[in-house]
Amino acid sequence: MTALSPDLRLWDPPVTYRIGVAMGVHAHPYTGELLRAIRAAAAQAGCDVVLADTEDTLGEEAAVVRALRADLVDGVLLVPSAGDEAVINGLVRMGVPTVLVDRVAARNDVDQVGTENVHAVASLVRHLTERRHRKIGLISGDESQEVSRERVRGYRLGLEQAGLRFNRELVECGLSTSGGATRATAKLLDGWPSPTALVVADEAMLVGVQYEAHRRGIRIGSELAVVGYGDMDWARRVTPAVTTLVQPVADLGRRAVQLLMSRMADPDRPPESVWLTPKFLHGASCGC
């Protein structure tokens, strides 16, 4: 288990609260930015931060949350691992001030802050239909995550808004991994109807889509339109640059700390779910 790492220096003023942050430190390309935003917001509020790496697995998540509790933190910011919600249930049951960050859950008994998914993904679909695409495929993410299910709903909403029928044959699960997305892309391109455009539900899977298109000699942008959800530096440097929805990662971190501070100050207030709007970043991968 990764050691807990307090960030408080000896010359800092007395802390108001000690905040435990449980997350997969290497799970996502934006983890570093999220952690920096949390630390900055906590420091501004006079709080100490104790980081614990969940390695993005349920077993390690349970272990590090127990360690944080034993370390007497006042509240927990948790980026949940995919799977069951036993750790979240335990924190809620024990009355531990908790905020779920980024990967929100379909529940109303805990504070959460995440990025809006349904209408955001619908806007990606509409962008493709405005380019006269009618066979639009979806590479969906890990089905155990509420975020992935929301993005599927957004895909279906976008089709409905454009007057297109949902076709199950145009949807494949990429398991939120690059390898899974490679296999899902191959299956869609080999299937019928073969899509002329793809919506990719997260940044990790965009790598797999790019790989499979390159392997087949398919030119993204001119022969296959691709749009995605996530913010990756490489996506702006490749040719063509990828059209994506960019998560407001720094705002997620700041808002999470604010929610946790409010919860610790007022334990009896109703739980709050905050949805931040992603930014549309236009590239040429959509064929524009």
Side-chain angles (χ1 to χ4, degrees):
M1 183 177 72
T2 302
L4 305 180
S5 56
D7 292 336
L8 183 68
R9 299 186 300 271
L10 293 177
W11 55 86
D12 283 334
V15 299
T16 307
Y17 295 111
R18 300 184 71 241
I19 297 175
V21 179
M23 62 194 304
V25 173
H26 304 292
H28 298 287
Y30 54 80
T31 299
E33 182 182 359
L34 178 62
L35 184 55
R36 286 191 295 273
I38 289 172
R39 284 172 166 162
Q44 188 174 17
C47 294
D48 182 13
V49 170
V50 182
L51 173 64
D53 185 3
T54 67
E55 300 178 8
D56 209 29
T57 65
L58 288 171
E60 193 67 10
E61 177 180 283
V64 300
V65 168
R66 283 196 300 270
L68 288 171
R69 291 292 297 138
D71 202 35
L72 301 178
V73 296
D74 297 293
V76 173
L77 297 179
L78 172 65
V79 180
S81 304
D84 68 55
E85 298 179 2
V87 171
I88 303 172
N89 293 338
L91 289 168
V92 171
R93 185 172 59 252
M94 291 185 292
V96 178
T98 302
V99 176
L100 306 185
V101 186
D102 186 30
R103 294 178 182 169
V104 297
R107 53 196 301 162
N108 58 9
D109 59 349
V110 63
D111 292 311
Q112 322 186 61
V113 57
T115 309
E116 201 283 321
N117 292 294
V118 178
H119 294 284
V121 173
S123 72
L124 285 178
V125 175
R126 291 197 307 274
H127 182 71
L128 292 171
T129 61
E130 289 166 1
R131 297 287 304 169
R132 301 187 183 280
H133 288 285
R134 294 296 178 265
K135 293 182 289 185
I136 301 171
L138 172 69
I139 308 293
S140 61
D142 186 336
E143 295 171 347
S144 68
Q145 296 181 13
E146 177 63 16
V147 166
S148 297
R149 295 191 290 269
E150 286 183 350
R151 292 177 186 174
V152 172
R153 291 198 292 273
Y155 166 77
R156 299 190 65 154
L157 175 62
L159 293 177
E160 180 183 334
Q161 290 172 338
L164 299 176
R165 296 182 63 180
F166 172 77
N167 184 343
R168 183 63 186 82
E169 299 302 315
L170 286 171
V171 178
E172 287 294 333
C173 180
L175 303 173
S176 296
T177 66
S178 58
T182 299
R183 294 186 292 272
T185 303
K187 189 169 182 179
L188 285 177
L189 294 177
D190 288 337
W192 183 261
S194 182
T196 62
L198 290 177
V199 177
V200 187
D202 73 31
E203 57 275 308
M205 296 191 297
L206 273 167
V207 177
V209 173
Q210 291 267 344
Y211 170 83
E212 184 61 18
H214 178 74
R215 188 184 73 82
R216 291 170 179 250
I218 295 174
R219 290 175 296 180
I220 289 178
S222 57
E223 297 176 322
L224 177 68
V226 174
V227 297
Y229 200 118
D231 184 20
M232 311 73 57
D233 287 339
W234 66 262
R236 292 190 287 275
R237 294 197 298 264
V238 296
T239 302
V242 183
T243 296
T244 62
L245 290 171
V246 178
Q247 294 172 283
V249 176
D251 289 342
L252 282 174
R254 286 191 291 268
R255 193 70 182 95
V257 172
Q258 291 169 2
L259 272 180
L260 189 59
M261 294 290 291
S262 296
R263 171 61 56 198
M264 292 186 293
D266 183 8
D268 297 323
R269 70 169 180 79
E272 183 177 355
S273 293
V274 175
W275 310 107
L276 304 180
T277 303
K279 177 184 177 182
F280 182 79
L281 187 65
H282 188 264
S285 67
C286 54
C288 295

